[in-house]
Amino acid sequence: MNSKIPVPHQPLVSHIYTADPSAHVFEGKIYIYPSHDLEHDGPDNDNGDQYAMEDYHILSLDNFSSPVVDHGEALHLRDIPWASKQLWAPDAAFKNGIYYLFFPARDHDGIFRIGVATSNSPAGPFKAEPDYIPGSYSIDPAVLVDEDDKAYIYFGGLWGGQLEKWQTGTFEPNPSELKPDQPALGPRVALLSEDMLTFQQEPQEISIIDEEGQPILAGDEDRRYFEGPWVHKYNGLYYLSYSTGSTHKLVYAVSDNPLGPFTFKGTILTPVIGWTTHHSIVQFEDKWYLFYHDSSLSGGVNHKRSVKYAELTYNADGTIQTIDPYPS
Ligand code: FUB
């Protein structure tokens, strides 16, 4: 289905609700892998029950002057043997001549896991592997295929995303709460196997530090990691960006190593309408773009979100200029 020409800070499509956009340039076009938000009147809580998504639609645009195309259903919950509900934020990667869709969902025990599906086309349809990635947990996978062809998967989200329940390495349904002066939990990273279907190593925690080398603390809600990791490379450095959750910002930290530690730098996007904020950053031709979402189209309903985009600008020192989602 074809839609309108994209306008910065406006919903890319309005015939469905979309969120959590992971944008990539594949085959010379921009492909966007979003969540597909459903309309329902169910409960809205910190467990994330309102995010009851059941399938994925992939969007694409030839460039920023051409209409957005919705390629239809690319993968449905019914075709994922290990998953029971909640198809949350996905990402895609290309390697070995194959397109891979990485996605989180709850397994049949209600535990979030990360699965993979494959396709010959960036637009899908995708076929899911029969089981989730062994050793995977929590949500929001983001994959970086580096220049040396090594592929890293970053993931993890607090609260509904269950990351704090994995502090001991096994699933703990009622973990003790982190104290505000303890180091915050970091996202996880693992090297993917050559075939992209398993972890080559046990996931490790990423450390996010301040300019003095001190860990960002759990009580520092303006800077601590919450969910939605994204890693991109700019001028040879790795930029880890993420949502601060309860303070609703997109922020970033920088490292010379894909495994970190990452040094906190600043804010990319100020809060949007709706509780969640989630994004990706991609270069297309000679410009950089932020893809993000908000709930303005639904009048602020948290689980009815729309994907948008804005141009992203670096300063000469490599820092990123903060974007206002509602410029006058
Ligand atoms: O869309 C469901 C969840 O909301 C995502 O996985 C989080 O990042 C947040 O955007």
Side-chain angles (χ1 to χ4, degrees):
M1 178 177 178
N2 286 355
S3 194
K4 292 173 294 201
I5 308 286
V7 175
H9 303 290
Q10 297 297 324
L12 282 187
V13 293
S14 52
H15 65 289
I16 54 173
Y17 288 111
T18 55
D20 309 324
S22 292
H24 292 274
V25 176
F26 292 139
E27 302 179 357
K29 297 185 193 179
I30 302 154
Y31 280 88
I32 300 147
Y33 299 83
S35 302
H36 175 195
D37 282 355
L38 291 182
E39 304 211 31
H40 65 82
D41 299 320
D44 183 325
N45 52 39
D46 287 350
N47 198 36
D49 291 335
Q50 63 275 32
Y51 304 110
M53 298 84 100
E54 294 180 351
D55 67 359
Y56 293 113
H57 280 225
I58 294 160
L59 310 176
S60 73
L61 44 158
D62 289 355
N63 52 58
F64 287 94
S65 315
S66 68
V68 182
V69 178
D70 173 357
H71 295 272
E73 185 182 289
L75 178 65
H76 194 281
L77 184 62
R78 73 173 90 82
D79 299 318
I80 309 169
W82 61 267
S84 66
K85 60 179 179 178
Q86 291 178 309
L87 292 186
W88 283 12
D91 190 20
F94 178 67
K95 192 170 156 158
N96 312 319
I98 298 170
Y99 291 92
Y100 298 87
L101 185 72
F102 294 86
F103 58 93
R106 286 191 196 247
D107 68 12
H108 294 289
D109 295 321
I111 299 176
F112 267 110
R113 305 286 186 175
I114 295 168
V116 199
T118 54
S119 177
N120 291 325
S121 163
F126 282 85
K127 182 166 173 37
E129 291 294 299
D131 211 345
Y132 56 78
I133 300 175
S136 69
Y137 55 90
S138 198
I139 59 165
D140 291 357
V143 173
L144 172 77
V145 180
D146 209 346
E147 283 146 292
D148 59 6
D149 226 29
K150 284 186 179 160
Y152 300 90
I153 183 164
Y154 300 84
F155 62 93
L158 299 178
W159 300 8
Q162 302 179 336
L163 184 60
E164 64 275 30
K165 298 184 193 295
W166 287 94
Q167 287 172 69
T168 59
T170 51
F171 186 77
E172 217 4 275
N174 298 302
S176 51
E177 230 175 83
L178 281 185
K179 301 211 168 40
D181 58 354
Q182 282 183 274
L185 292 181
R188 303 301 199 255
V189 60
L191 194 59
L192 285 165
S193 55
E194 259 314 295
D195 66 6
M196 304 284 274
L197 303 179
T198 59
F199 294 162
Q200 252 187 54
Q201 51 174 209
E202 227 180 272
Q204 63 187 72
E205 185 172 358
I206 287 178
S207 157
I208 304 172
I209 56 178
D210 64 17
E211 298 282 355
E212 278 76 53
Q214 298 303 311
I216 300 291
L217 301 179
D220 186 352
E221 295 189 22
D222 278 318
R223 298 192 296 176
R224 67 98 164 77
Y225 178 80
F226 188 88
E227 64 184 1
W230 184 260
V231 175
H232 74 279
K233 258 180 122 170
Y234 177 74
N235 278 351
L237 291 176
Y238 297 85
Y239 285 62
L240 164 69
S241 39
Y242 56 92
S243 162
T244 59
S246 49
T247 51
H248 316 287
K249 294 178 189 173
L250 290 177
V251 297
Y252 73 107
V254 173
S255 178
D256 57 9
N257 186 322
L259 306 177
F262 287 83
T263 305
F264 187 89
K265 291 292 175 189
T267 300
I268 295 175
L269 186 75
T270 52
V272 293
I273 294 169
W275 202 94
T276 64
T277 186
H278 190 121
H279 75 300
S280 60
I281 293 169
V282 69
Q283 183 177 20
F284 182 67
E285 297 172 345
D286 57 349
K287 291 186 173 176
W288 286 85
Y289 297 91
L290 174 77
F291 285 82
Y292 65 100
H293 71 224
D294 80 353
S295 299
S296 54
L297 185 65
S298 66
V301 180
N302 286 334
H303 66 273
K304 292 201 274 189
R305 301 164 289 181
S306 302
V307 167
K308 300 180 166 186
Y309 88 96
E311 201 177 319
L312 177 141
T313 310
Y314 296 91
N315 297 309
D317 64 0
T319 54
I320 293 174
Q321 291 182 10
T322 304
I323 296 170
D324 173 357
Y326 308 105
S328 43

